[in-house]
Amino acid sequence: MNKSIIQLTEKHVAGNYGRYPIALVKGKGSKVWDKSGKQYIDFVSGLAVDNLGHCHPSVVSAIKKQSEKLIHVSNLYHIEPQSQLAEKITSLSFADKVFFCNSGTEANEAAIKLARRYFFDQGQPGRTEIITMFNSFHGRTLGSLSATAQTKLHTGFKPLLPGFKYIPFNDLPSARKAITKKTCAILVEPMQGEGGVNIPDPSYLKELKKLCQKNGILLIFDEVQTGFGRTGRLFAHELYKIKPDLITLAKALGGGLAIGALAGSNRIMKSFVPGTHGATFGGNPLACAAALASLKVLTGKNFLNKTRATGKYFLKCLEKISHKNPIVKEVRGEGMFLAMELNKPAADIVNNCMKRGFLINCIQLNVLRFIPPLVITRKEIDSLIPVLSDCLNKLSDQ
Ligand SMILES: *Cc1c(COP(=O)(O)O)cnc(C)c1O
């Protein structure tokens, strides 16, 4: 029954994704079902999007209500759910103002443009260079791709946008050396996602912030993946008790709907004057209504406390099986942003887990990433662990 969908996809959909041979047609909480009715526990969450689980009733109800009222109007006019969502995001963060778009890559494009424009407005038009990190991921459009320091993603797409300088993540001396009179910003994921779930030393981001302040340049956090509770805090940078100048958001923001955002202080955001930037669908009523409903649940009493507790439990479970298996190099992560690095390619494990009813994800060839809905239960985690352990044993015997 999955087959006809797969055939249609293969015949008519662009082949830019490597897809697993199942078609998911239904979801509820931490579970999804394929066309044949087979159930899976989802440790992927649509790539850190479905943080509340699939089809959360609050989000579904908000979408239903808003879709009967108003789905889209232009940003030529004021939009009620957009204004409310901006107020909500600023009340929950360091930011004063929000620009809305539709995706993570667009949020980063906006940040790149704003950083340049801010210094242009300051009478420093020569400050155009942005420092980014190896193994970062900022998106697929040309600006964000140029910011993304992974050469394998650049193949065949040159020339890239000029004005980016790459340095190692979690390496302060390199950052110090890289800053020049041309630098306008450092763009960094507080914890790297696609690059392998890389958590920096506790002092790294704090020192980076000091360095930016000292040099009068902007610190931009890409929290597209780490935002909205993924790491057990609403935003990952809260863990380090520092504030960036700008933050980019998307993925889980809309409770499953496509929405992205760039948020920052008035001082910087004020460079986005009329005509400087825009997005037709950015901040549309439907996506904003879904985001508002989703944020209400995420910021509800005890929601993130529970995420942190369950995340700790999950990490312990992963550590336990890793100690028994020599192919596991390291288990790491924060909240529900977890990974297991192997010293062997991990693709077989993903396939085997899928056959046995668990969706997990593999990045950088040898890193298993676990990013379940934040509402996942200990019981659901418990059901994965013996299967994963078994798959690890099989792979280590090969
Ligand atoms: C996914 C991701 C992006 C890109 O988001 P899209 O919505 O796919 O454009 C950017 N930055 C980070 C950190 C991401 O994880």
Side-chain angles (χ1 to χ4, degrees), residues 103-105 108 137-139 189 194 222 224-225 251:
S103 65
T105 200
N108 286 319
F137 186 80
H138 300 296
E189 297 156 86
E194 302 306 301
D222 178 345
V224 169
Q225 184 159 155
K251 290 204 164 103

Side-chain angles (χ1 to χ4, degrees), residues 3 10 31 42 44-45 47 52 67 93 113 148 156 169 190 196 214 226 260 272 285 311 351 374 384:
K3 217 172 143 196
E10 285 178 349
K31 298 188 175 77
D42 185 3
V44 178
S45 307
L47 292 177
L52 298 186
S67 69
S93 69
K113 279 181 73 176
T148 297
F169 181 62
K214 201 178 116 205
T226 52
F272 266 171
N351 285 310
L374 308 182
L384 168 73

Side-chain angles (χ1 to χ4, degrees), residues 210-222:
K210 276 192 210 156
L211 194 61
C212 287
Q213 276 176 319
K214 201 178 116 205
N215 288 280
I217 62 172
L218 304 181
L219 180 60
I220 308 169
F221 283 164
D222 178 345

Side-chain angles (χ1 to χ4, degrees), residues 115-356:
R116 288 182 172 180
R117 182 72 182 217
Y118 169 74
F119 283 102
F120 176 88
D121 290 348
Q122 301 283 303
Q124 300 181 66
R127 277 202 187 266
T128 56
E129 221 169 68
I130 298 179
I131 295 168
T132 65
M133 312 296 158
F134 288 117
N135 289 322
S136 57
F137 186 80
H138 300 296
R140 302 283 193 164
T141 54
L142 270 169
S144 299
L145 182 66
S146 306
T148 297
Q150 295 195 54
T151 44
K152 65 174 193 253
L153 302 181
H154 295 165
T155 310
F157 300 119
K158 286 177 181 174
L160 298 175
L161 185 72
F164 291 92
K165 196 184 260 182
Y166 308 145
I167 61 171
F169 181 62
N170 198 23
D171 179 342
L172 213 57
S174 292
R176 236 176 249 126
K177 252 190 273 164
I179 296 172
T180 68
K181 288 262 174 296
K182 279 180 153 179
T183 311
C184 68
I186 294 178
L187 168 61
V188 59
E189 297 156 86
M191 300 171 188
Q192 289 187 328
E194 302 306 301
V197 182
N198 304 321
I199 316 290
D201 297 335
S203 66
Y204 173 63
L205 294 170
K206 207 175 261 177
E207 293 301 319
L208 211 53
K209 166 86 187 177
K210 276 192 210 156
L211 194 61
C212 287
Q213 276 176 319
K214 201 178 116 205
N215 288 280
I217 62 172
L218 304 181
L219 180 60
I220 308 169
F221 283 164
D222 178 345
E223 291 232 27
V224 169
Q225 184 159 155
T226 52
F228 303 107
R230 178 51 52 195
T231 68
R233 318 272 154 182
L234 192 61
F235 303 112
H237 72 264
E238 291 172 15
L239 195 64
Y240 305 104
K241 302 195 165 47
I242 41 155
K243 294 171 185 158
D245 296 293
L246 294 170
I247 185 171
T248 56
L249 304 166
K251 290 204 164 103
L253 169 56
L257 260 64
I259 181 169
L262 166 69
S265 65
N266 274 325
R267 175 175 69 95
I268 298 151
M269 293 297 288
K270 75 173 192 303
S271 283
F272 266 171
V273 295
T276 47
H277 197 49
T280 299
F281 289 115
N284 68 81
L286 191 63
C288 288
L292 268 169
S294 167
L295 265 177
K296 197 165 166 197
V297 179
L298 267 178
T299 55
K301 205 168 165 247
N302 274 329
F303 187 96
L304 290 180
N305 286 336
K306 210 170 153 203
T307 299
R308 284 199 289 275
T310 317
K312 262 197 194 124
Y313 174 76
F314 193 1
L315 183 67
K316 268 214 189 95
C317 292
L318 292 174
E319 276 166 353
K320 240 184 244 163
I321 56 173
S322 77
H323 293 146
K324 291 188 202 133
N325 204 303
I327 64 168
V328 181
K329 223 167 124 189
E330 190 185 40
V331 169
R332 57 178 176 259
E334 192 69 44
M336 290 288 185
F337 186 56
L338 302 173
M340 180 182 269
E341 182 172 344
L342 310 185
N343 56 26
K344 272 190 171 180
D348 282 358
I349 296 201
V350 177
N351 285 310
N352 286 335
C353 282
M354 195 172 70
K355 281 188 195 130
R356 296 167 71 169

